[in-house]
Amino acid sequence: MLDQGAAPPATEPSAPKASGLSALTRRKPVDVLVAEGGQGEGGSLRRSLSMWQLTMISIGATLGTGIFVVLGEAVPLAGPAVTLAFVFAGLTALFSALSYAELAGTIPVAGSSYSYAYATMGELVAWVCGWCLLLEYGVSVAAVAVGWGDYLNQLLDGTVGVTLPAALTAPPGEGGIFNLPALIVVMLAMVFLLGGAKESARANTIMVAVKIAALVLFCVIGFMGFSSGNYSDFMPLGVSSVGAAGAILFFSYIGFDAASTAGEEAKDPKRDLPRAIMLSLVIVTALYVLVAAVAVGAWDWKKFEGSEASLAAIMNDVTGQSFWGTLLAAGAVISIASVVLTVLYGQTRILFAMSRDGLVPKVFGKVSPKTGTPRVNTVIVSLFCGILAAAIPLGELVNATSIGTLFAFALVNIAVVVLRFTRPELSRTFKVPFGPVFPVLGFLFCGYSMYSLDMITWVYFGIWMAVGLVVYFVYGMSRSRLATAEK
């Protein structure tokens, strides 16, 4: 609920000098986090984004590969019950979105859940959360870029009658040498981001409009081929399959928190961030459930196996013409590109915040006085994500991204409860309803979704976290600004 009459924030005392194990729990005061907003090495970020642009950033980061590509992986797991899997994943996202909305309105900074954890649970937990966000944003950019190539090939085939060779559209291990389209789309997003946040937001808004139009068009045409018989065996693989598919489909909701990474570039972050987060999630969830319901009604669920461009194929089958599938492929190419753009944006801003705190190198915190963007940061992250996208299969990227995101979301739900008890006097422009009940449900939903993922995903996650802890103890712990301030 909105709470415009809350008391003004009180000054929080500086953190006491920490030593030994207590250094791991040192917290960064909320007032310091907010006061540092926008400040970087050599320049400052510019406040230029409206509530509408923030909403488009979240929709742009969320609505894309999940429905255009990952649907082909989820339907074989759950059958027609994939619609329930989308609802389950949406509920998991909803509870976490409520927590994000409260914290974004209270601590409107670029670090998103990393900064929220720093203010509530201490430096080590903040680092773990930030490390998970690197997995969520950085790796999901690569995963989304991989899916882009499939629709690009379909568009090329339907327009000029040629396709890129498999050697240049698939990573090693999947019949290819190098996924060139995936690298190209990341580089294009980098060019937009280097131009400035406002310019990137404008381009994203146009691309979001195109992707929504493409999905509405699919629903209209797909409904013409709808057959109730495709729903006759609604849950052929059992109840547990819905949870397994929901865990994979949670990847589709990754990105609704992207608006929170724009906290230092929003015109009125305390008011606009909570609204943008909630509005974007409502719009995306409604589209996902509608598209999934139409898709399964138009196609037997067994036909989705191995299809990464299933929506376009459905349109071709229903109409008997390739034109409509080609048109949808064009919309998918644009929409998936917008996901790459906005998620890449979020990744750079999180690293910007971590750099300002001293936990990663200063180069990630340098801001160009000319454009008001972290340009070197953007180039480094783009090159890393582009190479990752070109060399790693989609399935592995999706699952690794989901578990990292779920872990970060679980921490956000805890952070809301902690901040309610430790700083009740803070001004909150939005409050999660029903006190700690919804954040606890959010935590439990995230935990269940993580439990539903395969063991190999947990192994990858464990390796990632082990590497992250090594980096923190070797580099971040001693270079943290809180640590240097204590010396």
Side-chain angles (χ1 to χ4, degrees), residues 364-456:
F364 292 102
K366 291 184 178 180
V367 176
S368 167
K370 182 179 179 180
T371 62
T373 60
R375 303 193 72 173
V376 178
N377 177 346
T378 301
V379 172
I380 294 174
V381 171
S382 299
L383 289 174
F384 173 80
C385 292
I387 294 172
L388 192 66
I392 305 296
L394 173 64
E396 303 297 340
L397 292 173
V398 169
N399 291 337
T401 303
S402 293
I403 194 169
T405 306
L406 286 163
F407 192 85
F409 284 8
L411 292 179
V412 168
N413 285 296
I414 295 174
V416 167
V417 178
V418 172
L419 200 62
R420 285 276 189 99
F421 284 102
T422 58
R423 297 298 307 279
E425 81 287 353
L426 284 174
S427 174
R428 291 169 169 84
T429 53
F430 178 89
K431 287 185 177 180
V432 179
F434 302 108
V437 176
F438 277 9
V440 169
L441 286 174
F443 176 82
L444 294 176
F445 268 69
C446 288
Y448 178 76
S449 295
M450 291 176 70
Y451 174 77
S452 300
L453 291 169
D454 293 337
M455 180 57 67
I456 187 63

Side-chain angles (χ1 to χ4, degrees), residues 38-45 193-194 265 348-358 360-381:
Q39 299 177 21
E41 290 283 332
S44 299
L45 301 178
L193 290 175
L194 290 175
E265 290 161 286
T348 59
R349 270 45 178 186
I350 290 167
L351 278 170
F352 171 81
M354 295 177 74
S355 174
R356 185 169 56 203
D357 293 333
V360 298
K362 290 184 179 180
V363 66
F364 292 102
K366 291 184 178 180
V367 176
S368 167
K370 182 179 179 180
T371 62
T373 60
R375 303 193 72 173
V376 178
N377 177 346
T378 301
V379 172
I380 294 174
V381 171

